[in-house]
Amino acid sequence: ALNAAVPGEFRVPPFVSVAVDPRNGRLVAVFADASGPGSNDIDVLVSTSDNGGRTWTAARAVADVIMREGDQMQPEIAIDRAGRWHLAWLDTRRSASDTSAQGLVDAWYARSDDGGLTWRSMRLTEQPLDSTRTNWSPFAANFVLQFVGDYIGL
């Protein structure tokens, strides 16, 4: 359960974002998951397919330099006509610990010009979203919980 591995009391949906490299047809999938068995470190992982999705490479962390602290979740990937990979995600590296009821969530962006081998990243938000201030429910008025969203777009 990804929810228990991040600071704050919001849910982390296990969605996958997929993009196609228009130059060669390679499929690129990104998703958030624990970085290893029994780990509470949630990272953005990537897997690729060169045969239309019949087989996929083993999932690997996008890059240690980007995902070195906190938890990364809700990634979105896009690939432009020149083959540059664009990645956005939510990040809790400014939070005190995974057990905190308060998650400080920032939006981040990274770009890779070499098919995901190296990345340049930047934080998009000056101030993090405080998850304790997001108490509302998309389901029912009497079912209130922290809700930072289900996905982001690029």
Side-chain angles (χ1 to χ4, degrees), residues 25-27 48-56:
R26 171 176 282 167
L27 297 174
T48 61
S49 174
D50 289 320
N51 58 16
R54 288 186 297 280
T55 60
W56 292 85

Side-chain angles (χ1 to χ4, degrees), residues 18-21 24-30 46-60 79 85:
V18 179
V20 179
D21 189 326
N24 56 22
R26 171 176 282 167
L27 297 174
V28 179
V30 293
V46 63
S47 181
T48 61
S49 174
D50 289 320
N51 58 16
R54 288 186 297 280
T55 60
W56 292 85
T57 61
R60 62 179 168 78
I79 303 174
W85 294 17

